[in-house]
Amino acid sequence: MQTLTLANIYELQGLKEEALEIYKEILKKDPSNGDAKIAVRRLSGMRKKFLNVNTQMKDFFIKMEADVEFNEFERWLLKSWN
């Protein structure tokens, strides 16, 4: 069963795409659901902003282990948010 609670849990776990799909399904059934509308706008905006994220940096993020690597990724992330 697809509910706002399940979508929220997915979102909190970082499963943004899955959460977005649930919110969209909720809106199909209940187009007046304000919480789902807000969530779709929020998650769609995040997806658009990071649509062309550098895949090399994504791979780097997944594999990083040393503090130096974390610092480098943090600098890159701060730069991309601005």
Side-chain angles (χ1 to χ4, degrees), residues 3-16:
T3 64
L4 286 173
T5 302
L6 180 59
N8 285 326
I9 291 169
Y10 279 174
E11 194 172 347
L12 290 171
Q13 291 177 339
L15 303 170
K16 307 293 187 192

Side-chain angles (χ1 to χ4, degrees), residues 16-54:
K16 307 293 187 192
E17 291 295 324
E18 291 85 346
L20 181 58
E21 291 308 312
I22 292 173
Y23 289 127
K24 287 179 180 179
E25 285 298 318
I26 290 169
L27 281 178
K28 283 181 188 176
K29 294 175 186 171
D30 179 12
S32 65
N33 189 308
D35 292 332
K37 284 181 185 179
I38 291 168
V40 167
R41 278 190 231 125
R42 181 182 65 249
L43 291 174
S44 294
M46 289 175 67
R47 186 169 61 180
K48 287 177 189 172
K49 183 171 183 170
F50 292 101
L51 189 60
N52 296 315
V53 168
N54 184 325

